[in-house]
């Protein structure tokens, strides 16, 4: 599918062409697709739990990811000095001290659990983080703060991007938007090709993030 304002050469080679209003309306289109995927349950939950930041808890008062040392008084940094983060990825100790470890709500135990940046894939064994957790957490300093997972925050943010609104913003025909959603829901693997031009204009980062969001939701990373 070609998603582009004008019917050009790439569109002639595509199975279908979705015209969109020029000026970042394709970002709204992608966010509408993301909302529909979540609403329809057409997402790869195991992938999201194992390979993305979607289960990480965020403080709603500061919008910063919840740190393990804010929750667990006796928390010790979980990365060993010989961990791949240091030996392979080039993480410096002072950077790790600044970043810290994160927190998830473990559905298996019903408790908060600290995790490091290396808790992903098979290293998540024994932890089944919730994607949709929202609640109140008492910090070690006695402060009570509201928290939510990254996934829950996305779901809240995407409420505004129903298909009627997306069709109005983009001027794209709604039936074609629905066809795109159906294809992304069912065809594997998914590939999103973004041309040079789309990366060179104001706020292009937002567009790229929306593209990655859709790909993450269906596990095509």
């Amino acid at each position: 599918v070609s998603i582009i304002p004008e019917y050009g050469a790439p569109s002639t080679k595509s199975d279908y062409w979705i015209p969109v209003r020029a000026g970042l309306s394709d970002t709204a289109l992608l966010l509408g697709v993301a909302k529909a995927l979540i609403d329809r349950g057409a997402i790869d939950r195991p992938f999201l739990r194992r390979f993305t930041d979607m289960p990480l808890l965020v403080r709603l008062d500061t919008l910063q990811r919840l740190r393990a040392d804010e929750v667990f008084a006796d928390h010790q940094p979980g990365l060993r000095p010989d961990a791949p983060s240091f030996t392979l990825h080039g993480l410096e100790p002072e950077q790790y001290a600044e970043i810290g470890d994160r927190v998830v709500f473990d559905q298996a135990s019903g408790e908060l659990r600290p995790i490091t940046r290396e808790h992903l894939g098979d290293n998540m064994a024994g932890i089944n983080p919730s994607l949709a957790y929202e609640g109140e957490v008492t910090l070690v300093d006695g402060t009570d703060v509201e928290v939510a997972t990254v996934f829950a925050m996305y779901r809240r943010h995407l409420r505004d991007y129903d298909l009627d609104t997306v069709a109005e913003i983009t001027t794209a025909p709604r039936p074609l938007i629905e066809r795109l959603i159906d294809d992304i829901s069912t065809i594997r693997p998914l590939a999103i090709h973004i041309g040079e031009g789309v990366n060179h204009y104001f706020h292009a980062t937002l567009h790229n993030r929306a593209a990655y969001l859709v790909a993450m939701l269906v596990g095509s990373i």
Side-chain angles (χ1 to χ4, degrees):
V1 54
S2 289
I3 302 172
I4 191 169
E6 73 280 0
Y7 186 81
S11 302
T12 67
K13 306 300 188 292
S14 301
D15 290 306
Y16 58 103
W17 163 56
I18 299 182
V20 290
R21 180 174 59 83
L24 272 182
S25 75
D26 44 357
T27 305
L29 176 68
L30 289 167
L31 294 178
V33 170
K35 172 178 167 54
L37 293 172
I38 294 172
D39 290 347
R40 298 180 183 187
I43 58 176
D44 190 336
R45 289 180 177 273
F47 179 87
L48 293 174
R49 290 191 181 100
R50 286 159 47 88
F51 292 107
T52 77
D53 68 346
M54 295 290 184
L56 298 185
L57 293 178
V58 177
R59 293 179 53 161
L60 298 186
D61 59 338
T62 63
L63 298 184
Q64 299 294 314
R65 291 184 179 90
L66 185 65
R67 293 174 58 105
D69 54 14
E70 292 180 306
V71 179
F72 307 102
D74 57 350
H75 177 73
Q76 297 296 318
L79 291 181
R80 305 182 315 274
D82 61 346
S85 290
F86 299 114
T87 61
L88 183 63
H89 304 155
L91 184 70
E92 297 292 340
E94 59 269 20
Q95 293 173 320
Y96 181 41
E98 181 179 351
I99 294 170
D101 294 329
R102 306 303 186 195
V103 182
V104 297
F105 180 80
D106 180 25
Q107 297 180 116
S109 63
E111 299 177 345
L112 300 178
R113 294 280 297 274
I115 64 170
T116 73
R117 67 191 304 274
E118 294 186 12
H119 277 89
L120 76 164
D122 292 341
N123 290 339
M124 290 293 290
I127 303 177
N128 185 23
S130 169
L131 285 175
Y133 181 80
E134 298 182 66
E136 189 173 81
V137 172
T138 301
L139 306 182
V140 293
D141 64 3
T143 304
D144 294 325
V145 297
E146 295 291 329
V147 299
T149 63
V150 172
F151 179 82
M153 295 178 70
Y154 265 119
R155 191 166 56 184
R156 184 181 304 178
H157 171 64
L158 294 172
R159 289 174 183 172
D160 294 334
Y161 293 90
D162 59 273
L163 291 188
D164 288 334
T165 299
V166 168
E168 180 181 356
I169 292 172
T170 63
T171 69
R174 176 167 171 158
L176 290 181
I177 300 175
E178 293 175 337
R179 181 177 177 182
L180 176 66
I181 294 166
D182 290 339
D183 284 345
I184 291 176
S185 299
T186 56
I187 296 175
R188 296 292 180 275
L190 164 72
I192 300 177
H193 299 270
I194 302 175
E196 275 284 313
V198 83
N199 293 298
H200 289 173
Y201 59 68
F202 201 53
H203 291 318
T205 303
L206 299 179
H207 175 278
N208 294 349
R209 287 177 181 270
Y212 279 118
L213 173 61
V214 170
M216 284 191 293
L217 287 173
V218 296
S220 283
I221 297 289

